[in-house]
Amino acid sequence: MTDITFQDFRKPEDIEAESFRIIDSEVPGPRPFEGAQWEIVRRMIHTTADFEMLELVRFHEWAVESGLKALRNGAVIVSDTEMARRGMPVRRLDPLGCTVHCLMNDPRVVERAKAEGITRAKAAVDVAVAELHPDIWVVGNAPTALIRLVEHVDNGAANPALVVGMPVGFVNAAESKELLMSRDIPYISIKGRKGGSALAASVINALAVLAG
């Protein structure tokens, strides 16, 4: 029988602290990111156990400052999936006065998508822009949502304080992120195909800790 030694941690916060300690030890200085950016990237690594984040993450120069200001002012946050919405902890966002919304299952979105022959992700962006005027967008799944959002920014209908753009996959995921990063929009994104709802939510989690 294999002799395996397990670490004995009973509290979630202790497990998290030990995870961060391990990440810090495996990424000694000088690191490619510092300060608040490192806090964000470290939590992304914690979420994925993927140290390639060190090479893939991209920050707009005003992203962290703009995102923190929005959170401290009670940001309206919209995500493209319920998974991302649930991944943003209310225990950290509620004290800041922030609200988190996902409109993918909203009847108006479903009806609009059918009537216009578009994806629900795209229709959800349209409804959110018109009715919620989000401060922060968290896109971890649907390239069509991110592309539509950039279109709204281009035509002046949206002016987000931060876009966390991390669609995952093989069809238009990398391209949608390149589109985002080609604009002067405060963004936190990653190069290539990787991404996902949990990863995108982890960015807001890290920012909420910094904002608290």
Side-chain angles (χ1 to χ4, degrees), residues 133-145:
H133 312 293
D135 303 293
I136 295 176
W137 294 81
V138 181
V139 182
N141 183 68
T144 55

Side-chain angles (χ1 to χ4, degrees), residues 144-174:
T144 55
L146 189 55
I147 294 167
R148 186 66 139 198
L149 174 58
V150 174
E151 290 173 354
H152 281 299
V153 172
D154 285 348
N155 66 31
N159 184 30
L162 176 64
V163 177
V164 179
M166 300 181 180
V168 61
F170 298 94
V171 179
N172 293 330

Side-chain angles (χ1 to χ4, degrees), residues 63-79:
V64 173
E65 180 181 342
S66 184
L68 288 174
K69 181 178 180 181
L71 288 173
R72 288 168 178 152
N73 287 333
V76 174
I77 305 169
V78 167
S79 73

Side-chain angles (χ1 to χ4, degrees), residues 2-200:
T2 303
D3 185 16
I4 301 174
T5 301
F6 295 98
Q7 295 173 288
D8 186 18
F9 290 100
R10 308 295 175 87
K11 298 179 180 179
E13 57 269 28
D14 293 338
I15 297 171
E16 182 179 81
E18 176 63 7
S19 297
F20 286 148
R21 188 198 67 75
I22 292 170
I23 293 169
D24 286 341
S25 71
E26 294 191 19
V27 189
R31 300 185 177 108
F33 300 97
E34 298 178 348
Q37 288 189 356
W38 172 241
E39 295 296 324
I40 293 165
V41 175
R42 183 174 67 165
R43 189 167 288 274
M44 293 171 71
I45 295 171
H46 174 259
T47 299
T48 60
D50 187 353
F51 284 91
E52 195 177 1
M53 292 297 120
L54 293 167
E55 302 171 7
L56 298 180
V57 179
R58 300 289 187 273
F59 289 89
H60 182 278
E61 62 178 328
W62 300 114
V64 173
E65 180 181 342
S66 184
L68 288 174
K69 181 178 180 181
L71 288 173
R72 288 168 178 152
N73 287 333
V76 174
I77 305 169
V78 167
S79 73
D80 68 327
T81 65
E82 283 293 332
M83 181 178 176
R85 185 182 70 81
R86 293 178 182 275
M88 291 179 265
V90 294
R91 73 181 186 280
R92 289 179 174 145
L93 293 173
D94 277 359
L96 298 170
C98 299
T99 57
V100 185
H101 309 265
C102 176
L103 302 182
M104 287 294 288
N105 296 317
D106 188 293
R108 295 165 300 171
V109 169
V110 175
E111 181 179 348
R112 184 173 190 141
K114 289 181 179 178
E116 298 184 13
I118 60 177
T119 66
R120 276 199 284 170
K122 188 180 289 188
V125 171
D126 292 343
V127 172
V129 166
E131 299 186 12
L132 295 177
H133 312 293
D135 303 293
I136 295 176
W137 294 81
V138 181
V139 182
N141 183 68
T144 55
L146 189 55
I147 294 167
R148 186 66 139 198
L149 174 58
V150 174
E151 290 173 354
H152 281 299
V153 172
D154 285 348
N155 66 31
N159 184 30
L162 176 64
V163 177
V164 179
M166 300 181 180
V168 61
F170 298 94
V171 179
N172 293 330
E175 292 81 359
S176 67
K177 287 177 277 191
E178 288 295 331
L179 178 67
L180 171 66
M181 290 186 282
S182 72
R183 299 302 198 267
D184 189 23
I185 303 169
Y187 63 76
I188 301 174
S189 190
I190 56 177
K191 298 278 290 185
R193 296 168 170 174
K194 292 185 177 183
S197 296
L199 190 65

